[in-house]
Amino acid sequence: MISRAYYQSSIRSFLSRDCSSILGVLAAHNSFDLTIQQRNAWQQQILNLQDQLSDLSDGEIFFEFAIPRMGKRIDVVFLLKGIVFALEYKVGEAIHTRSSQDQVLDYALDLKNFHEGSHHCPIVPITVCTEAPRVTNTLEWASDGVAVPMQSNGSDLNYLIAQAIEGARNLHGFSAEACPQEEWAQSSYKPTPTIVEAARALYQGHSVQEISRSDAGAKNLSVTAECILQIIAKSRREGRKSICFVTGVPGAGKTLAGLNISTHRVEGTDEHAVFLSGNGPLVTVLREALARDDVSRSKIIGESISKKEAHQEVSAFIQNIHHFRDEALRSEAPPSEHVVVFDEAQRAWNRANAEKFMVQKRGATSFDMSEPEFLIKVMDRRQDWATIVCLVGGGQEINTGEAGISEWFDALARSFSHWDVYHSGQLRNSHYAWDEDLGSKLAGLNAFERTSLHLAVSVRSFRAEKLSDFVACLIDGDADQARALHQHLSEYDLAVTRDLDVARSWLRRHARGSERTGLVASSGGLRLRPEGLNVKAKIDPACWFLNGKDDVRSSVNDGAKPGHSGGIKVGHGDGRRDARRGPI
């Protein structure tokens, strides 16, 4: 079994080994070039811990413990008396920064919420700045058993450990036996990543099974991904044109499935599919996040790649659908891609709206097609083969000018009867049909039903559906139904108020680490401006969603400028927490 840590042993064994032999084990498991800075950091950690843990006779210690699938490693973790200690060393640092406090707290929250062995364990995060002066720490526990991060310079670790052991005795429901160290390291880890984290993981070569929290959801996503890849392979092998419609329940991971396809190389080629979305901010944020990640990882492995180069590479497979469409208007040449993924395909424009936009905004003399018909026509320019993957959200209102799924079928029937149509069978469902008889439209096409194209399992938190129902009832004023649903949501932190300042204060108290908060407001809510909420204010999506607390353009900056929400949202926006840390 592959270890999750570069080094793991009992504390007793760790104390008896010389520093050089432990360094050798760490170096052997390090997949990157070992720099002198890293070697010196490990050496100081080892010597410091051998000194501070010298009076202990039990427990287990881990160096460079991997937080699975997300590419993160905790410097040191050790289990002692049923408590998980997570240490982040800042060797040579003289100041305990807020970012280091947030970093170690994020690690602790990830362990608590998604590492099965840590669910019932107290977790104590500690930052160790080796050149910092000694400070007085007060042990404080949150309701979930995660302590407020403690600050050490390394010389007082033994005292902080003893303080935590004594303090844990007073925790409600705590039992040292609830955290067996022999099983802890290999406990399952099932995160629900944000879409940015998921894109990063997929870009690094991880699979949807690895980054999905739900076992059933992971299996469902894997089956769907394999079905799509088989359709792509068949189209390439037989020189066919194919289109497949992927449906799914709310939270099932349709966008995740689309990103998964776009990060796969087309079998037998060096070509990637391209992920197309009309959600401009999403495209901007994903591109920026992946480019930053690419630059960061290249530095670690000793390579040099500029931000511009990283953006160019990422932009090849994540694009704004409108830019893709506009380029196809400029030239009659076939697109370079064989495979395209259209996110939220039901929101493509009907003929009237497409014509109005193309003539008024793009200067076209005329435009007599709906957006679905034009997009199929563009891919049909390829003489060899092509595959279109349409991600279809169900149960959503179709806005004015949006064509719905029926227009895709009408366009296929009018002009592209030679295309193979793959669907899940769910398109006859009222959630996707929008009062259209899609069954009869399918009957006239070269259609094939593949049940695997439906994502039937939500990979969001366990109670997400009931939570959504609860919020809907609350907004509708259905107090009785909201009260009934609330009984099933005991593990969520829920609060209801009509006072915006109270909401802000509550969220600021409850958000921990780098968790983001914000406010959901109507784009037409102009009267909110006196409350400091300017819904018309422009933001830079990449800075807003990705930058840290030290940037005034970020959603997590404490001093967010007037006109923005000050980082307040009705609900935690981190997206990783399960039922233990849910939206408000």
Side-chain angles (χ1 to χ4, degrees), residues 39 44 53 67 89 145 162 184 249 253 275 297 304 383 388 412 452 487 506 570:
R39 184 185 184 281
Q44 290 196 50
L53 304 180
I67 298 181
Y89 274 85
W184 183 88
V249 299
F275 179 86
R297 286 188 294 116
S304 178
Q383 297 301 306
I388 296 174
L412 287 162
S452 298
Q487 297 176 8
W506 191 95
V570 183

Side-chain angles (χ1 to χ4, degrees), residues 267-283:
E267 184 180 347
T269 75
D270 290 329
E271 180 186 330
H272 283 278
V274 61
F275 179 86
L276 300 174
S277 174
N279 186 333
L282 173 65
V283 172

Side-chain angles (χ1 to χ4, degrees), residues 86-210:
L87 276 60
E88 180 63 23
Y89 274 85
K90 301 297 180 184
V91 174
E93 294 290 331
I95 299 175
H96 291 278
T97 63
R98 182 165 180 176
S99 62
S100 64
Q101 299 290 96
D102 288 343
Q103 181 182 8
V104 76
L105 181 54
D106 283 347
Y107 290 159
L109 291 172
D110 280 344
L111 288 173
K112 168 60 71 172
N113 291 304
F114 300 115
H115 184 251
E116 189 174 21
S118 303
H119 280 346
H120 304 291
C121 300
I123 302 178
V124 180
I126 304 174
T127 57
V128 184
C129 296
T130 58
E131 301 301 320
R134 186 166 176 170
V135 299
T136 301
N137 287 274
T138 301
L139 181 66
E140 298 179 46
W141 299 100
S143 59
D144 58 0
V146 175
V148 173
M150 305 180 82
Q151 301 175 2
S152 170
N153 61 8
S155 66
D156 57 350
L157 270 177
N158 53 0
Y159 172 75
L160 297 182
I161 292 167
Q163 185 181 5
I165 292 173
E166 179 64 28
R169 294 174 181 171
N170 299 320
L171 281 178
H172 176 70
F174 168 62
S175 169
E177 289 72 30
C179 190
Q181 61 191 39
E182 62 275 7
E183 301 174 6
W184 183 88
Q186 297 304 326
S187 293
S188 60
Y189 191 98
K190 304 169 183 176
T192 300
T194 66
I195 195 63
V196 172
E197 288 173 326
R200 282 172 173 158
L202 290 169
Y203 191 49
Q204 293 175 29
H206 294 283
S207 67
V208 288
Q209 299 100 310
E210 292 177 308

Side-chain angles (χ1 to χ4, degrees), residues 1-8 29 61-69 72-75 77 111 114-118 183-191 210:
M1 184 176 291
I2 299 176
S3 175
R4 285 188 177 158
Y6 285 3
Y7 175 85
Q8 172 186 352
H29 285 87
I61 190 166
F62 308 82
F63 279 75
E64 300 293 334
F65 184 82
I67 298 181
R69 308 145 177 112
K72 302 176 184 177
R73 287 186 176 273
I74 309 176
D75 285 345
V77 174
L111 288 173
F114 300 115
H115 184 251
E116 189 174 21
S118 303
E183 301 174 6
W184 183 88
Q186 297 304 326
S187 293
S188 60
Y189 191 98
K190 304 169 183 176
E210 292 177 308

